[in-house]
């Protein structure tokens, strides 16, 4: 089992950091600190007005993802409801950031616990996110986020559809 203090510590700045990755990391940290403090505005400051937020369903297959929110205002509402009900005691690792021009992608791994503000029990929390960023003037904002992405659930039965299409095409050839 894990003991307190065993979690990986992220250095303040890594050798491969650039001004761009530092700004992206700052946006990701604003989301984390806002969740920890229950500050909706701090969370929302990391997101572009046209952000799309997906529930990843613990799947790496985009066909399993579901749209949760289609803009920042809808996301603000959802985050507000969540933070009124829950307190997040989380740590966040940022294992990957890749910048290409004015676009970037990043991954995060959150771990810790969520505590119901109404006095419920603390629940273990672990969530992997994929973040899509765009640069707006001098600010990096998330334009898309997939929450709870992973490889725990099998992909939707893609092979079946392909097999059915192949069968229809064979039938038409005859």
């Amino acid at each position: 089992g894990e003991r307190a203090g065993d979690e990986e510590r992220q250095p303040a700045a890594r050798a491969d950091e650039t001004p761009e990755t530092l700004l992206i990391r700052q946006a990701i940290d604003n989301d984390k600190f806002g969740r920890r403090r229950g500050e909706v505005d701090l969370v929302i400051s990391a997101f572009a007005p046209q952000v799309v937020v997906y529930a990843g369903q613990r799947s790496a297959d985009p066909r399993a993802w579901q749209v949760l929110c289609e803009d920042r205002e809808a996301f603000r509402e959802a985050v507000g409801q969540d933070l009124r009900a829950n307190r997040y005691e989380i740590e966040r690792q940022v294992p990957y950031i890749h910048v290409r021009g004015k676009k970037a992608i990043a991954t995060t791994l959150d771990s810790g616990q969520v505590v119901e503000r109404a006095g419920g029990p603390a629940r273990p929390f672990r969530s992997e996110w994929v973040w899509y960023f765009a640069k707006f003037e001098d600010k990096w904002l998330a334009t898309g986020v997939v929450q709870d992405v992973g490889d725990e659930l099998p992909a939707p039965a893609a092979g079946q559809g392909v097999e059915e299409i192949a069968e229809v095409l064979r039938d038409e050839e005859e």
Side-chain angles (χ1 to χ4, degrees), residues 65-160:
W65 302 347
Q66 296 177 344
V67 174
L68 291 177
C69 303
E70 294 192 55
D71 62 35
R72 186 167 56 194
E73 287 311 306
F75 188 49
R76 174 192 298 278
E77 183 67 30
V79 169
Q81 286 179 4
D82 184 33
L83 294 182
R84 283 190 294 278
N86 299 298
R87 186 176 77 244
Y88 286 81
E89 298 173 355
I90 58 171
E91 294 297 324
R92 176 171 286 165
Q93 296 174 19
V94 184
Y96 182 75
I97 299 176
H98 178 75
V99 178
R100 187 171 178 109
K102 292 182 180 281
K103 303 285 184 185
I105 188 170
T107 59
T108 57
L109 173 60
D110 292 353
S111 58
Q113 63 183 10
V114 178
V115 182
E116 288 180 41
R117 293 189 187 276
R123 299 181 314 275
F125 182 81
R126 181 178 170 86
S127 184
E128 293 180 63
W129 287 21
V130 175
W131 301 69
Y132 300 93
F133 284 91
K135 190 171 187 182
F136 298 89
E137 295 176 19
D138 61 345
K139 235 180 146 169
W140 285 93
L141 297 174
T143 56
V145 178
V146 184
Q147 301 176 340
D148 290 320
V149 73
D151 58 7
E152 294 176 23
L153 291 181
Q160 289 177 340

Side-chain angles (χ1 to χ4, degrees), residues 10 40 116 156:
Q10 296 244 349
V40 175
E116 288 180 41

Side-chain angles (χ1 to χ4, degrees), residues 155-167:
Q160 289 177 340
V162 170
E163 209 35 61
E164 289 167 8
I165 291 168
E167 190 175 315

